[in-house]
Amino acid sequence: MVEQQLGRIREKLQNLRSLDADMDLFGAENHEYEMERVWTPQEIAVFEQKWKIKLPEGYRAFLLHIGSGGAGPYYGLEKPEDGVYAVIGYDDELNAIADPFPHIEAWNWEYDWYDDSKEEEEWDALDHEYLDPKWSAGLLRISDFGCGISVNLVLNGPCSGEIWTDDRANRSGIYPDYYFGNTERLRFLDWYELWLDRSIHELHEE
């Protein structure tokens, strides 16, 4: 099953690269449809041991057979080592990817962030708590959407393997990724193949 899907992904990526020779699709000029080299099993083991995690099967297979970053949704796929990111407002602190992912459903705070009745110190304290890395624990960033929005792979807990978006930069919280029109939650390979399908369809329509 995984091998068949990897084969489809490889063919569709080659097709997309040919169709978008002028790199008109969003993000194409950034990644240029190039892939970083694949990882070895040993490199994956070293990464997992370093961060005390276990990569989901589909993502692990992608690293082993397709590439470790490059062509992908939005501004492209992050390399795994770049996906352990500095948290907004906590520039000296990396996201705790080994800690339990704290969410099962979409999460956000119901605050009126434009309420001018609070003092600046109150807002600073709220902002600091809202951006606390405890809310994004267990997430490995796999793609940069832009505007401070990151697309992430859940590494542990009931939602392990799913793709979730962290949009706290725009006060929209953390939630399962539905940007490609999917109604079901997506795991990595399905998410990546859906991007390919939508991109190819868009180019054919044009």
Side-chain angles (χ1 to χ4, degrees), residues 118-135:
K118 293 185 183 296
E119 298 294 330
E120 183 176 351
E121 292 77 11
E122 291 180 273
W123 279 123
D124 286 345
L126 282 171
D127 192 59
H128 194 261
E129 173 65 14
Y130 182 66
L131 297 174
D132 193 296
K134 68 185 178 185
W135 303 119

Side-chain angles (χ1 to χ4, degrees), residues 155-206:
L155 296 181
N156 53 52
C159 300
S160 179
E162 294 179 359
I163 306 298
W164 281 56
T165 298
D166 184 348
D167 191 9
R168 286 175 294 166
N170 301 288
R171 304 295 184 250
S172 296
I174 298 173
Y175 48 87
D177 187 287
Y178 296 111
Y179 284 152
F180 293 152
N182 49 295
T183 56
E184 301 294 327
R185 297 185 185 186
L186 297 175
R187 302 176 77 81
F188 178 81
L189 291 180
D190 295 331
W191 171 80
Y192 192 88
E193 188 173 11
L194 184 54
W195 166 71
L196 290 168
D197 290 339
R198 287 175 58 88
S199 299
I200 291 169
H201 179 73
E202 181 180 338
L203 289 168
H204 278 310
E205 280 197 330
E206 291 177 356

Side-chain angles (χ1 to χ4, degrees), residues 42-111:
Q42 292 74 22
E43 287 174 305
I44 290 178
V46 168
F47 183 78
E48 291 179 329
Q49 290 167 9
K50 176 180 178 179
W51 296 105
K52 298 179 175 59
I53 58 164
K54 188 75 172 175
L55 295 174
E57 178 187 5
Y59 183 62
R60 172 195 291 263
F62 191 93
L63 294 178
L64 287 170
H65 299 287
I66 304 293
S68 58
Y74 316 120
Y75 288 103
L77 291 181
E78 299 268 7
K79 293 186 289 187
E81 61 267 32
D82 294 334
V84 188
Y85 57 92
V87 182
I88 296 174
Y90 291 77
D91 294 338
D92 60 344
E93 185 171 351
L94 295 177
N95 201 40
I97 66 172
D99 287 355
F101 182 60
H103 313 295
I104 297 176
E105 301 296 337
W107 168 87
N108 202 10
W109 281 3
E110 294 184 3
Y111 276 111

